[in-house]
């Protein structure tokens, strides 16, 4: 028996969850002595009312699209890839190696190579957790958490001992050659009379992220592999009886997930920093969890949720710049969104189901 | 390396193992009851903040400890609400609580103290002082054992001794009491416990309440014992190392002690890379020492050194059939 229509489960439950999270966030802002409404207006003003604000919003959104898609693909195979952070770090290493050691004639050529390198390195970092989950039954959540820490230590070692230019103090690589610099939105859209997106980091990798959304949609709903991933996610035993090899699907889903997380480095490392720094993902791997949960693991949902989180990030940064509110407010809001959409969703669903049952009975 | 150096390393091993051990035992209670707890880190962090903040404002470290325990138990209660009452995803709940703790602690610290997300440094009344065990100075001249007793075993804050006393206590509760038997049962076969007429939800809430208390102790030790005040992200991944230690120990109390001592030892070594180099005569990257607990855990998880089998019902919400 259907307790409530599918649209209600897909739209109403997340909507109410977000509203509760927003309400609690407003209470938090109130509690630290600020006005939630003026704070919200300041966020809108800083993130959406100027083209530079949009440049930052879209820059953050690009990161979250990649990491959100990464978590979403793993969710379809009923796996919780919490290792996006580490996979993105390794993706950054791939990007850095390619940019530093291959002399490219033009950025467009370098982009093809860096996409491949970021994907390969990210996928490689997801391979061992995926394999261990499939073959030895070690829990993917724990192994990917461990791999985040191992990635941080590895990157620290590589940057300090191998890639740091001699004489430099900061653990970071040298700046990438100019031929690998990706065009920013300012380069692409600004004209002399109209300096759009000035000083903002959004760059061409946003379009790579949009393309990734489309490709993931095609993969999940229009290919045999995507069907197998979804079947495996719905029922492991069912998939096995249908002749879908469990080990292969687990590993492949994790490889795709890791590759997507790794590609986040295109935006941060190649697009913005133009060199590899320590902790380049800055928590975007974890925000991918919130984005995938809110977007219901659908590429369109992930895209919209990533935009929302991009707005949130840029808005909170503006708020921190102008008012006495720490950037950590963004982390609190993000935590509340994850909590209510991902873990306390039944708190909303159960009363809604009762409501629909009551009204359904009246009609019958 | 001489004996004095070894004693120094062992002394910091004890200090660094303590928060790991408390958090690890917290995870043990929780996971043995079938509730996976990724949120050890967040509970420790929030307890560290509130214990330092309240200890600073009241001048009493005991009030601070109480505040730390209460704050960690509140996060436990949210985790329980999500994973027991509303059958939600325990992993996601834990992840969310970790973020909540990271964000809230800095936000409140900035609002209360305005020092960029930290509490003011605690003076002596706001910290746990170091206890000198009886006869520590008298026995010091005894060769080998005397300095060991005086330097390594004596001279820690009360929470260190509490943490180590928790190991036999946990063992006794789990294996020698009715509550412990039921707790272990509810993590393996909740339907059997339910059939016997014992409340599954009640047992699980009790388990995570204990986990909250232990995480509260761990956090309070970080901010008022190990250091003098709260700084942002001061738990620094210890909750995850504790989780790793729990797997390493295969969810058993005495092994948890050994695992936490081992990981604490590795942390102590990574603070003194010069000693490691002198002993091994090769240079070991300090990053390798940092990563070693995680690498060892992955190897254990892969089943190459005995298989780590978690409690069977771990992670599954229990839904009573009608």
């Amino acid at each position: 028996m259907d307790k409530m229509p599918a649209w209600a489960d897909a739209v109403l439950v997340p909507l109410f969850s977000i509203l509760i999270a927003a309400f609690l966030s407003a209470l938090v802002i109130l509690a630290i002595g600020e006005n939630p409404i003026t704070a919200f207006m300041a966020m809108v003003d800083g993130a959406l009312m100027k083209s530079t604000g949009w440049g930052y919003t879209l820059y953050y959104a690009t990161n979250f699209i990649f990491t959100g898609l990464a978590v979403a693909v793993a969710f379809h195979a009923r796996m919780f890839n919490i290792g996006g952070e580490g996979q993105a770090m390794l993706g950054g290493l791939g990007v850095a190696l390619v940019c530093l050691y291959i002399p490219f004639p033009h950025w467009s050529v370098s982009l093809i190579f860096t996409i491949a390198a970021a994907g390969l390195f990210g996928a490689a970092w997801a391979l061992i957790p995926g394999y261990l989950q499939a073959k030895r039954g070690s829990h993917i959540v724990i192994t990917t958490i461990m791999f985040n820490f191992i990635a941080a230590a590895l990157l620290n070692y590589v940057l300090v001992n191998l890639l740091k230019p001699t004489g430099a103090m900061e653990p970071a690589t040298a700046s990438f050659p100019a031929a690998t610099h990706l065009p920013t939105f300012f380069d692409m859209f600004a004209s002399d009379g109209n300096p759009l997106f000035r000083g903002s980091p959004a760059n061409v990798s946003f379009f790579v992220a949009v393309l990734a959304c489309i490709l993931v949609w095609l993969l999940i709903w229009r290919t045999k592999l995507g069907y197998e991933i979804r079947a495996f996610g719905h029922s492991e035993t069912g998939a096995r009886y249908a002749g879908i090899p469990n080990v292969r699907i687990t590993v492949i889903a994790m490889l795709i997930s890791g590759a997507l997380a790794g590609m986040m480095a295109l935006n941060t490392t190649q697009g913005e920093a133009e060199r590899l720094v320590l902790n380049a993902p800055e928590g975007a791997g974890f925000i991918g969890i919130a984005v995938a949960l809110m977007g219901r693991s659908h590429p369109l949902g992930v895209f919209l949720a990533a935009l929302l989180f991009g707005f949130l990030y840029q808005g909170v940064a503006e708020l921190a710049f102008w008012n006495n509110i720490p950037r950590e407010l963004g982390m609190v809001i993000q935590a509340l969104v994850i909590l209510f959409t991902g873990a306390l969703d039944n708190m909303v669903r159960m009363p809604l189901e009762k409501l629909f049952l009551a009204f359904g009975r009246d009609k019958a | 390396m001489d004996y004095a150096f070894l004693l120094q390393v062992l002394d910091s091993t004890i200090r660094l193992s303590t928060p790991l051990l408390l958090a690890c035992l917290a995870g043990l209670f929780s996971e043995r009851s079938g509730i996976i707890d990724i949120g050890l880190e967040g509970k420790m962090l929030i307890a560290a903040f509130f214990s330092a903040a309240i200890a600073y404002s009241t001048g009493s470290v005991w009030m601070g400890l109480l505040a730390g325990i209460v704050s960690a138990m509140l996060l436990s209660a949210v985790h329980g609400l999500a994973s027991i009452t509303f059958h939600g995803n325990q992993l996601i709940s834990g992840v969310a609580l970790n973020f909540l703790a990271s964000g809230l602690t800095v936000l409140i610290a900035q609002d209360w103290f305005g020092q960029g997300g930290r509490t003011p440094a605690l003076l002596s009344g706001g910290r746990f002082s170091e206890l000198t065990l009886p006869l520590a100075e008298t026995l010091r001249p005894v060769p080998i054992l005397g300095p060991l007793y005086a330097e390594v075993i004596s001279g820690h804050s009360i929470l260190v001794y509490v943490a180590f006393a928790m190991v036999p206590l946990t063992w006794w509760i789990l294996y020698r009491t009715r509550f412990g038997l039921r707790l272990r049962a509810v993590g393996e076969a909740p339907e059997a416990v339910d059939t016997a007429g014992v409340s599954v939800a009640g047992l699980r809430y009790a388990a995570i309440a204990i986990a909250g208390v232990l995480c509260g102790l761990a956090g309070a030790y970080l901010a008022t014992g190990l250091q003098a005040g709260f700084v942002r992200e001061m738990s620094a991944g210890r909750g995850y190392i504790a989780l790793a230690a729990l797997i390493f120990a295969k969810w058993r109390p005495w092994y948890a002690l050994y695992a936490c001592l081992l990981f604490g030892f590795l942390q102590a070594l990574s603070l003194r890379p010069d000693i490691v180099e002198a002993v091994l005569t090769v240079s070991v990257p300090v990053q390798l020492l940092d990563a070693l607990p995680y690498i060892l855990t992955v190897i254990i998880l892969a089943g190459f050194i005995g298989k780590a089998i978690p409690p069977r019902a771990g992670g599954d919400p229990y839904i009573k059939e009608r």
Side-chain angles (χ1 to χ4, degrees), chain A residues 293-312:
Chain A
L293 283 172
M294 244 181 87
R296 294 263 154 157
S297 303
H298 190 288
L300 180 64
V302 165
F303 179 79
L304 294 175
L307 278 184
L308 181 72
F309 271 92
F311 154 73
L312 194 71

Short mmCIF file of all heavy atoms in Angstrom, two decimals, chain A residues 293-312:
data_model
loop_
_atom_site.label_atom_id
_atom_site.label_comp_id
_atom_site.label_asym_id
_atom_site.label_seq_id
_atom_site.Cartn_x
_atom_site.Cartn_y
_atom_site.Cartn_z
N LEU A 293 22.38 14.37 -0.63
CA LEU A 293 21.18 14.06 0.14
C LEU A 293 20.04 14.98 -0.26
O LEU A 293 18.90 14.56 -0.48
CB LEU A 293 21.45 14.24 1.63
CG LEU A 293 22.24 13.14 2.31
CD1 LEU A 293 22.60 13.57 3.72
CD2 LEU A 293 21.44 11.87 2.33
N MET A 294 20.35 16.28 -0.35
CA MET A 294 19.32 17.25 -0.71
C MET A 294 18.85 17.05 -2.13
O MET A 294 17.66 17.17 -2.42
CB MET A 294 19.88 18.65 -0.55
CG MET A 294 19.20 19.44 0.50
SD MET A 294 19.93 21.04 0.53
CE MET A 294 18.94 21.82 -0.70
N GLY A 295 19.78 16.73 -3.01
CA GLY A 295 19.44 16.54 -4.42
C GLY A 295 18.88 15.17 -4.70
O GLY A 295 18.65 14.83 -5.86
N ARG A 296 18.66 14.38 -3.65
CA ARG A 296 18.08 13.04 -3.81
C ARG A 296 18.85 12.19 -4.82
O ARG A 296 18.26 11.43 -5.60
CB ARG A 296 16.63 13.16 -4.25
CG ARG A 296 15.76 13.78 -3.18
CD ARG A 296 15.14 12.69 -2.49
NE ARG A 296 14.76 12.99 -1.14
CZ ARG A 296 13.83 12.30 -0.54
NH1 ARG A 296 13.18 11.34 -1.17
NH2 ARG A 296 13.54 12.53 0.70
N SER A 297 20.16 12.39 -4.89
CA SER A 297 21.04 11.61 -5.75
C SER A 297 20.69 11.71 -7.23
O SER A 297 21.09 10.87 -8.02
CB SER A 297 21.07 10.13 -5.35
OG SER A 297 21.47 10.02 -4.03
N HIS A 298 19.88 12.72 -7.62
CA HIS A 298 19.58 12.93 -9.02
C HIS A 298 20.45 14.09 -9.52
O HIS A 298 20.55 15.11 -8.83
CB HIS A 298 18.09 13.27 -9.18
CG HIS A 298 17.65 13.28 -10.60
ND1 HIS A 298 18.01 14.27 -11.47
CD2 HIS A 298 16.90 12.41 -11.32
CE1 HIS A 298 17.50 14.01 -12.67
NE2 HIS A 298 16.82 12.88 -12.60
N PRO A 299 21.07 13.94 -10.71
CA PRO A 299 21.98 14.99 -11.17
C PRO A 299 21.35 16.38 -11.18
O PRO A 299 22.01 17.36 -10.81
CB PRO A 299 22.35 14.54 -12.58
CG PRO A 299 22.22 13.07 -12.54
CD PRO A 299 21.10 12.76 -11.59
N LEU A 300 20.08 16.48 -11.58
CA LEU A 300 19.44 17.80 -11.58
C LEU A 300 19.33 18.32 -10.14
O LEU A 300 19.61 19.49 -9.86
CB LEU A 300 18.05 17.72 -12.23
CG LEU A 300 17.31 19.05 -12.28
CD1 LEU A 300 18.05 20.05 -13.16
CD2 LEU A 300 15.88 18.87 -12.78
N GLY A 301 18.92 17.43 -9.23
CA GLY A 301 18.82 17.81 -7.83
C GLY A 301 20.18 18.21 -7.27
O GLY A 301 20.29 19.20 -6.55
N VAL A 302 21.22 17.46 -7.67
CA VAL A 302 22.57 17.77 -7.20
C VAL A 302 22.98 19.14 -7.70
O VAL A 302 23.53 19.96 -6.95
CB VAL A 302 23.57 16.69 -7.68
CG1 VAL A 302 25.00 17.16 -7.53
CG2 VAL A 302 23.35 15.40 -6.92
N PHE A 303 22.65 19.43 -8.99
CA PHE A 303 23.00 20.74 -9.56
C PHE A 303 22.34 21.86 -8.77
O PHE A 303 23.00 22.83 -8.36
CB PHE A 303 22.56 20.77 -11.03
CG PHE A 303 22.85 22.08 -11.71
CD1 PHE A 303 24.13 22.38 -12.15
CD2 PHE A 303 21.85 23.01 -11.90
CE1 PHE A 303 24.40 23.59 -12.76
CE2 PHE A 303 22.11 24.23 -12.51
CZ PHE A 303 23.39 24.52 -12.94
N LEU A 304 21.04 21.71 -8.50
CA LEU A 304 20.33 22.77 -7.78
C LEU A 304 20.84 22.89 -6.34
O LEU A 304 21.05 24.00 -5.84
CB LEU A 304 18.83 22.48 -7.79
CG LEU A 304 18.17 22.53 -9.17
CD1 LEU A 304 16.70 22.11 -9.10
CD2 LEU A 304 18.29 23.94 -9.76
N ALA A 305 21.05 21.75 -5.69
CA ALA A 305 21.54 21.79 -4.31
C ALA A 305 22.93 22.41 -4.25
O ALA A 305 23.26 23.15 -3.32
CB ALA A 305 21.55 20.38 -3.72
N ALA A 306 23.76 22.12 -5.27
CA ALA A 306 25.11 22.69 -5.30
C ALA A 306 25.03 24.20 -5.44
O ALA A 306 25.80 24.93 -4.81
CB ALA A 306 25.93 22.08 -6.45
N LEU A 307 24.08 24.68 -6.28
CA LEU A 307 23.90 26.13 -6.40
C LEU A 307 23.51 26.73 -5.06
O LEU A 307 24.04 27.76 -4.64
CB LEU A 307 22.81 26.44 -7.43
CG LEU A 307 23.20 26.45 -8.90
CD1 LEU A 307 22.01 26.88 -9.75
CD2 LEU A 307 24.37 27.39 -9.13
N LEU A 308 22.58 26.05 -4.37
CA LEU A 308 22.13 26.55 -3.07
C LEU A 308 23.29 26.63 -2.08
O LEU A 308 23.47 27.63 -1.39
CB LEU A 308 21.03 25.64 -2.51
CG LEU A 308 20.48 26.09 -1.17
CD1 LEU A 308 19.63 27.34 -1.33
CD2 LEU A 308 19.66 25.00 -0.52
N PHE A 309 24.12 25.57 -2.06
CA PHE A 309 25.25 25.57 -1.14
C PHE A 309 26.32 26.56 -1.57
O PHE A 309 27.00 27.15 -0.72
CB PHE A 309 25.83 24.17 -0.99
CG PHE A 309 25.18 23.40 0.11
CD1 PHE A 309 24.09 22.60 -0.14
CD2 PHE A 309 25.64 23.51 1.40
CE1 PHE A 309 23.47 21.92 0.88
CE2 PHE A 309 25.02 22.83 2.44
CZ PHE A 309 23.93 22.04 2.17
N GLY A 310 26.46 26.77 -2.89
CA GLY A 310 27.38 27.80 -3.38
C GLY A 310 26.94 29.16 -2.88
O GLY A 310 27.76 29.95 -2.38
N PHE A 311 25.64 29.41 -2.98
CA PHE A 311 25.08 30.66 -2.47
C PHE A 311 25.34 30.79 -0.97
O PHE A 311 25.78 31.82 -0.47
CB PHE A 311 23.57 30.70 -2.76
CG PHE A 311 22.78 31.56 -1.82
CD1 PHE A 311 22.87 32.95 -1.88
CD2 PHE A 311 21.97 30.99 -0.86
CE1 PHE A 311 22.17 33.74 -1.00
CE2 PHE A 311 21.26 31.78 0.03
CZ PHE A 311 21.37 33.16 -0.04
N LEU A 312 25.09 29.68 -0.26
CA LEU A 312 25.28 29.68 1.19
C LEU A 312 26.73 30.01 1.55
O LEU A 312 26.99 30.83 2.43
CB LEU A 312 24.93 28.29 1.71
CG LEU A 312 24.73 28.14 3.19
CD1 LEU A 312 23.45 28.83 3.58
CD2 LEU A 312 24.66 26.67 3.54
#
